[in-house]
Amino acid sequence: MDTNHSCCSHGGKHEKTVVAPRTVTAALPGQYNCPMDPEIITDRPGSCPKCGMALEKIPSLTPISRTEYTCPMHPEIVRDAPGSCPICGMALERRVVRAQEEENPELATMRRRLWVCALLTAPLFILETGAMIAGAGWMGGLSRTALVWLQLALATPVVLWGGAVFFKRGWDSIINRSPNMFTLIAIGTGAAYGYSMLAAIAPSIFPDSFRHHGTVDVYFEAAAVIVTLVLLGQVLELRARSRTGAAIRALLGLTPKTARQITDCGHEKDIPLDQVQIGDRLRVRPGEKIPVDGVVLEGSSSVDESMISGEAIPVEKTAGDAVVGATINGTGSLVMRAERVGSETLLARIVQMVADAQRSRAPIQKLADVVASYFVPAVVGIALLTIVAWGLWGPEPRMAHALVNAVAVLIIACPCALGLATPMSVMVAAGRGATLGVLFRNAEAIETLQKVDTVVVDKTGTLTEGRPCLREVIPLSGWTANEVLRLAAGLERGSEHPLAAAIVAGAESQSIPIPGSDDFQSVSGKGITGRIDGRVVVVGNRLLLAEKNIPTEGLESLAAELEHNGSTVMFVAVDAQAAGLLAVSDTVKESTPTALRALQREGIRVVMLTGDNEATARAVARQLGIDDIFAGVLPDQKSEYVRKLQCEGRVVAMAGDGINDAPALAQADVGIAMGTGTDVAMETASVTLVKGDLRGIVRAVHLSRATMSNIRQNLFFAFVYNAVGVPIAAGLLYPFVGLLLSPMIAAAAMSFSSVSVIGNALRLRHTAI
């Protein structure tokens, strides 16, 4: 919010818009769902992935109290109970992370199945391996028929019970016309087990092309080992995925459980945090966590705010200063008034923003989605070609080799790794950003920020502290400084603009009585008018006085000198005659020069966009080394300047903190709001810097680049893995080196691919930013 009263809210009181964080809901305004399958919820129009019907807009907010589950790869899928995603088959996860990590029911089920299947698969594997190494006689005279039936007995519960979840997901994928990893696993494992079952029960029906030394081989151990290895992969994957919520759990764990309330009679008592009400007086003792957001009433202390800003240096707090819930009080004792409680606290809003960002989809995910949509049918086609090729040209027994290699193709192919490549990195990055004081609204912001080559910054509250102070009052002949200030303060008392507050505070500091005003009017971007003691008073910039035909010649040289030194100048006129001028200036934030130098080192162009006059803007720009300046910009023109830069081919990030910055924040490729600014700005922007420190932009850019690099690594690994693994599994190397890939090895490799993608994404938690 800059300028000589350039704020659109200058002049009458404006209500501060507090936008509560989004609660867990079944339906939010601007969302769409399927009339036949209402659990399908998405943020944009489209068609239902289950039935194909067009999604319809949800008209109203419908809060729910039950726990919801969603798919990390397809966040539009929302269910009220654990289960699997109808699109990709992955286990659904809690939509909202809880402070206490709870056992994932899907993980518990998979772990139980894994242990039972491992116990049954181990002897089965030993039987088959022993027979291959020592021959059938190693079992002490046990006939081959008895050995086959023993394998059948051991493999059946593994495949039909342990693998039942995979067959169900595979069937669901066919019914929903969404082929995925479980489609391939179900077909491959089912083919190996079904073939072996038929060979055990009726071996005589198979022709010679299926026989090896006169007998039909069975692959019970392959089917059982595949199921067991896939179960192992699922357990490792679910455990790794649960770690992506660690950042949110860490934030939630910061919240104190109780608050010390000071009653009206002065007594103190500890009460549960959820009983704290707005307006309560609370005591925060040394070393305690501040319970909720509020304002210090008494005392002074240093407060560790690193959990919200990423800065380790404690911040000094005295009476009148704002404090944030869950930050840690130092050695002093504070008495505070609660102003935001429950879901309205900054910590709660941070948690909600991180959760929303983790569930969003980055544009780069579209590439993976397109590839995945063709991938499974292509793999099934390759498996069929493998059967044909081995059946026509393979060595004897040709059909047995054809079956084994086709199963290996189906098992090794892993669209899951491809689908996980982007969402896992986004989830970890959103949590990492929260610990650095950088909140991403969605995954698109993370992806776009790495491309930004121009950062447009507002002046007041962004480059500067946003708390201007009255520096000088210069009266014209016939007026005293106190009288000019008295009239200006009387008029400015009707406004909540920062410049108005500075003038009123300046009058109060000098004990000047402030009169009331009538006929108060605000002229957007120019100033204010009104009546005081029956006289018409005007306080504003040159444009306003020119509009009122009030001459300012006697003040122009003084105004120019003050503006050259960085002050914002306001002219005061009484009864259509100039009476004097006021000089108000704002100090540059201590961190701003460092942040701007870091951005320039990254090759990012910095542009100042301010409603202040050019002389004042250039004074600040000289101090900060900014070459590109747009000054005298009215609130409704800021978005036009951003659009102009975009038309030049620039990828623009806009940083601001005021209501008047909201249109420009929305227009920019990435809107960056100062956490110390208005709620409207924060709701409009796609990135919020909790502390309002521009060094957060540098952190955000570095994190964005690290995240996109991580995503590209994941996608590259997934593509290369399948490009290499599928041909090998099909037997491409057999004519040259005699190498065939066992379905069991294929299963282990498939599980490893998903776990490795998740492990690579988790590296972002420790990346230096």
Side-chain angles (χ1 to χ4, degrees):
M1 259 189 297
D2 294 323
T3 80
N4 302 330
H5 297 153
S6 64
C7 175
C8 60
S9 65
H10 182 78
K13 291 198 177 267
H14 64 268
E15 295 295 327
K16 188 174 184 181
T17 304
V18 179
V19 182
R22 199 169 76 180
T23 56
V24 181
T25 60
L28 294 168
Q31 291 191 326
Y32 301 78
N33 76 340
C34 174
M36 290 184 63
D37 298 286
E39 72 274 11
I40 304 295
I41 300 176
T42 181
D43 293 330
R44 55 180 60 87
S47 58
C48 175
K50 293 180 66 176
C51 66
M53 288 188 64
L55 302 181
E56 297 179 353
K57 189 168 184 178
I58 301 170
S60 61
L61 184 71
T62 309
I64 63 173
S65 57
R66 63 181 184 273
T67 301
E68 286 189 336
Y69 297 81
T70 187
C71 173
M73 287 172 58
H74 300 91
E76 69 271 18
I77 302 298
V78 180
R79 295 281 175 82
D80 58 0
S84 58
C85 174
I87 300 176
C88 66
M90 288 183 64
L92 302 182
E93 300 176 345
R94 282 189 186 275
R95 201 173 181 191
V96 175
V97 178
R98 297 186 175 181
Q100 298 299 322
E101 186 172 3
E102 299 175 351
E103 176 74 294
N104 184 335
E106 186 73 15
L107 176 58
T109 299
M110 289 293 183
R111 187 186 293 118
R112 184 171 60 253
R113 290 176 186 268
L114 172 62
W115 281 112
V116 174
C117 290
L119 291 174
L120 293 172
T121 301
L124 182 61
F125 183 76
I126 293 171
L127 282 173
E128 183 63 22
T129 304
M132 290 173 60
I133 296 174
W138 85 285
M139 287 296 293
L142 187 67
S143 67
R144 183 184 180 283
T145 301
L147 182 62
V148 168
W149 282 95
L150 179 58
Q151 290 181 5
L152 172 61
L154 290 170
T156 297
V158 174
V159 175
L160 299 186
W161 176 77
V165 63
F166 305 140
F167 288 110
K168 180 182 182 304
R169 293 179 183 180
W171 177 251
D172 288 343
S173 71
I174 295 173
I175 296 298
N176 296 321
R177 292 175 294 179
S178 300
N180 54 50
M181 175 183 82
F182 298 102
T183 314
L184 303 179
I185 293 172
I187 294 174
T189 307
Y193 178 79
Y195 169 84
S196 301
M197 172 72 79
L198 197 58
I201 296 174
S204 60
I205 68 173
F206 290 90
D208 290 342
S209 60
F210 286 89
R211 298 179 182 275
H212 189 261
H213 299 304
T215 60
V216 182
D217 289 333
V218 293
Y219 301 99
F220 288 119
E221 93 290 347
V225 170
I226 288 170
V227 168
T228 303
L229 287 174
V230 174
L231 284 169
L232 175 62
Q234 288 291 293
V235 168
L236 294 175
E237 181 182 316
L238 287 166
R239 288 179 59 185
R241 277 162 51 189
S242 67
R243 293 164 61 190
T244 60
I248 293 182
R249 276 191 292 272
L251 289 172
L252 290 171
L254 295 172
T255 307
K257 302 297 184 291
T258 62
R260 191 162 188 82
Q261 183 187 52
I262 303 175
T263 63
D264 292 339
C265 58
H267 293 163
E268 298 183 9
K269 62 178 180 178
D270 291 330
I271 60 173
L273 193 66
D274 57 8
Q275 292 183 14
V276 176
Q277 302 293 321
I278 295 175
D280 282 356
R281 293 170 66 236
L282 308 172
R283 182 175 297 281
V284 186
R285 291 168 291 191
E288 289 185 334
K289 291 179 179 179
I290 292 170
V292 296
D293 296 1
V295 174
V296 176
L297 299 176
E298 302 173 18
S300 62
S301 183
S302 58
V303 176
D304 180 358
E305 295 186 339
S306 58
M307 53 76 62
I308 60 164
S309 66
E311 293 293 330
I313 301 174
V315 180
E316 294 298 322
K317 301 290 184 180
T318 59
D321 290 336
V323 287
V324 177
T327 54
I328 303 172
N329 185 27
T331 56
S333 178
L334 299 174
V335 175
M336 61 172 288
R337 180 179 64 247
E339 293 200 334
R340 287 189 178 185
V341 300
S343 62
E344 293 186 356
T345 63
L346 178 59
L347 179 62
R349 299 172 72 188
I350 289 174
V351 169
Q352 189 63 49
M353 288 185 69
V354 173
D356 288 345
Q358 289 183 338
R359 289 195 298 268
S360 63
R361 292 166 66 81
I364 197 173
Q365 178 69 23
K366 294 177 183 177
L367 171 64
D369 290 344
V370 171
V371 173
S373 66
Y374 294 103
F375 184 82
V376 174
V379 170
V380 173
I382 293 172
L384 293 175
L385 289 175
T386 300
I387 292 176
V388 172
W390 279 89
L392 292 176
W393 301 296
E396 294 295 344
R398 282 185 270 176
M399 294 311 298
H401 280 110
L403 175 67
V404 170
N405 286 289
V407 169
V409 168
L410 292 170
I411 296 302
I412 199 170
C414 187
C416 186
L418 191 63
L420 284 170
T422 296
M424 288 298 106
S425 297
V426 168
M427 291 176 73
V428 177
R432 172 76 165 136
T435 63
L436 296 171
V438 178
L439 306 180
F440 295 101
R441 181 170 296 281
N442 50 46
E444 184 177 359
I446 298 176
E447 181 172 341
T448 305
L449 194 57
Q450 53 123 15
K451 305 173 186 175
V452 165
D453 56 20
T454 303
V455 173
V456 176
V457 290
D458 178 40
K459 182 174 75 68
T460 305
T462 303
L463 296 175
T464 65
E465 293 288 352
R467 294 190 296 270
C469 297
L470 180 65
R471 300 298 182 190
E472 198 166 355
V473 180
I474 302 177
L476 282 179
S477 177
W479 293 90
T480 66
N482 283 357
E483 183 62 15
V484 171
L485 181 56
R486 186 184 80 88
L487 293 173
L491 200 58
E492 295 284 11
R493 177 170 270 178
S495 170
E496 289 185 356
H497 191 283
L499 298 179
I503 294 171
V504 172
E508 291 175 342
S509 67
Q510 298 181 40
S511 301
I512 295 174
I514 301 176
S517 63
D518 300 313
D519 300 331
F520 180 93
Q521 287 187 332
S522 171
V523 183
S524 181
K526 298 176 182 178
I528 54 178
T529 65
R531 285 183 175 274
I532 296 178
D533 300 335
R535 292 189 288 183
V536 178
V537 180
V538 177
V539 181
N541 57 22
R542 292 177 180 82
L543 293 176
L544 181 58
L545 268 68
E547 188 178 285
K548 302 292 184 181
N549 296 317
I550 301 173
T552 60
E553 289 82 359
L555 295 171
E556 284 297 338
S557 60
L558 292 171
E561 182 180 351
L562 290 169
E563 288 168 347
H564 181 76
N565 293 327
S567 293
T568 297
V569 175
M570 286 167 284
F571 294 84
V572 180
V574 180
D575 292 333
Q577 296 294 320
L581 51 79
L582 307 172
V584 176
S585 63
D586 191 5
T587 57
V588 171
K589 291 180 180 178
E590 184 179 349
S591 60
T592 296
T594 303
L596 295 183
R597 285 194 297 269
L599 287 172
Q600 290 163 347
R601 282 197 301 269
E602 296 290 336
I604 296 175
R605 174 187 177 191
V606 179
V607 178
M608 181 196 293
L609 187 64
T610 175
D612 223 333
N613 62 75
E614 187 159 343
T616 303
R618 289 199 176 279
V620 175
R622 280 196 304 272
Q623 185 179 348
L624 296 174
I626 299 175
D627 296 325
D628 298 304
I629 306 164
F630 295 105
V633 181
L634 296 177
D636 56 350
Q637 295 175 329
K638 288 191 175 184
S639 60
E640 291 298 326
Y641 278 88
V642 172
R643 189 179 295 110
K644 179 181 176 183
L645 289 168
Q646 290 171 324
C647 290
E648 295 173 2
R650 296 277 181 174
V651 181
V652 181
M654 167 71 189
D657 73 329
I659 295 173
N660 60 337
D661 296 320
L665 292 172
Q667 173 64 38
D669 297 286
V670 180
I672 303 174
M674 303 292 110
T676 51
T678 65
D679 293 311
V680 173
M682 285 185 277
E683 288 299 320
T684 306
S686 49
V687 179
T688 298
L689 307 181
V690 176
K691 194 179 180 182
D693 184 339
L694 283 180
R695 286 176 296 185
I697 298 181
V698 183
R699 296 190 189 105
V701 169
H702 288 168
L703 181 57
S704 170
R705 291 175 179 175
T707 302
M708 296 311 300
S709 174
N710 191 272
I711 289 173
R712 293 188 190 98
Q713 292 166 7
N714 286 345
L715 289 173
F716 175 80
F717 176 83
F719 280 125
V720 169
Y721 166 83
N722 285 292
V724 173
V726 171
I728 293 176
L732 187 65
L733 297 181
Y734 183 79
F736 307 103
V737 296
L739 176 65
L740 289 177
L741 193 64
S742 164
M744 293 180 287
I745 297 176
M750 182 272 295
S751 298
F752 170 76
S753 66
S754 295
V755 174
S756 61
V757 163
I758 297 173
N760 188 49
L762 289 171
R763 290 193 308 111
L764 284 170
R765 297 192 305 171
H766 309 293
T767 300
I769 303 298

